[in-house]
Amino acid sequence: MPPKSKPWLTACATPCERRLNASKKDYAVLEMRPDCEKCGAGLPAQAPGAFICSFECTFCAECAESADDICPNCGGELMDRPTRAAALHEKYPPSTERKFKG
């Protein structure tokens, strides 16, 4: 017997969106903050080189390295932030709120 059709699976643009829709739950996506909180360097959502902790504190590679990959705000581990495909920016826009503390 063939599996039942799930029309919401074919209407989505990406496998990630298919998984989100298949579970029928709302998930929060990363804010993708646009700048380093320490030096203010621009960190576009579609570009590599940003580091985040579990609270999404965001730093450039140089500032993360100078902090020994430990978040200066919360003490959490700084990890590579994934990139977001530019094609998804309209549906899931990255944050425009700058967090540079100077």
Side-chain angles (χ1 to χ4, degrees):
M1 180 173 206
K4 290 184 179 181
S5 175
K6 295 181 181 177
W8 65 85
L9 290 177
T10 57
C12 299
T14 68
C16 292
E17 288 180 307
R18 284 195 293 273
R19 283 192 297 277
L20 289 176
N21 288 336
S23 66
K24 296 188 178 184
K25 292 182 181 178
D26 290 326
Y27 287 93
V29 295
L30 291 174
E31 282 185 38
M32 305 299 283
R33 295 176 181 170
D35 63 335
C36 173
E37 292 183 25
K38 185 173 180 184
C39 72
L43 300 170
Q46 69 275 13
F51 289 77
I52 60 172
C53 71
S54 64
F55 291 101
E56 293 189 60
C57 301
T58 306
F59 300 92
C60 68
E62 187 175 303
C63 290
E65 186 176 323
S66 72
D68 200 25
D69 292 324
I70 301 297
C71 179
N73 299 331
C74 67
E77 182 179 12
L78 292 172
M79 305 289 295
D80 285 319
R81 179 183 75 184
T83 58
R84 180 168 299 155
L88 294 175
H89 285 197
E90 187 174 321
K91 188 170 183 176
Y92 304 103
S95 175
T96 57
E97 182 180 342
R98 299 188 67 82
K99 302 281 185 173
F100 175 55
K101 296 176 182 175

